[in-house]
Amino acid sequence: MKLDETVRKETAYAAVWVAALSLVMEAVFLLLRKWEMPVLWGNLIGAAAAVGNYLLLAVTVTRAAGGPKEKIALKVRSSMTARLLGQAGICAAAIGLLHTNVYATVIPLLFPRIGIAFRPWVDRKRGKTAADSEGSEMLD
């Protein structure tokens, strides 16, 4: 399966934010003297689930684009249910079977959304206008 250039670009953007915020979270655990290996494994699994969810969202939106708006909305909504259940299953398995830290496993799921919230600011700093942020409005 060949990924669209926009999908690759947007997923890479989300992955960078997830990695950066994961490092910050690890540092917080270290500063609080609560860092253990289950924190690291939980962070890695949660981060992978978050980036995977974002990738699947981008692929779904790209494949649905061009059709009627009602059909696009239906496909995105139905994929959202499957993606949410997938993330919940991955996190539950990691916490229950691998005994990862609950917070370190679940918090990274929020990181792509934080990156999306900062996207206009990042684009402005890089001198891009909204038109240059090709496709990003569909993924927000």
Side-chain angles (χ1 to χ4, degrees), residues 25-43 99-104:
M25 184 175 71
E26 292 290 325
V28 168
F29 273 96
L30 275 170
L31 289 172
L32 296 175
R33 298 179 189 259
K34 298 289 184 184
W35 192 91
E36 299 171 341
M37 285 305 288
V39 170
L40 176 62
W41 289 114
N43 191 354
H99 306 290
T100 61
N101 181 284
V102 174
Y103 299 110

Side-chain angles (χ1 to χ4, degrees), residues 59-80:
V59 168
T60 302
V61 170
T62 301
R63 287 189 177 164
K69 287 189 178 195
E70 299 81 30
K71 220 173 193 178
I72 293 171
L74 180 64
K75 281 187 179 183
V76 171
R77 239 180 287 131
S78 63
S79 88
M80 183 176 75

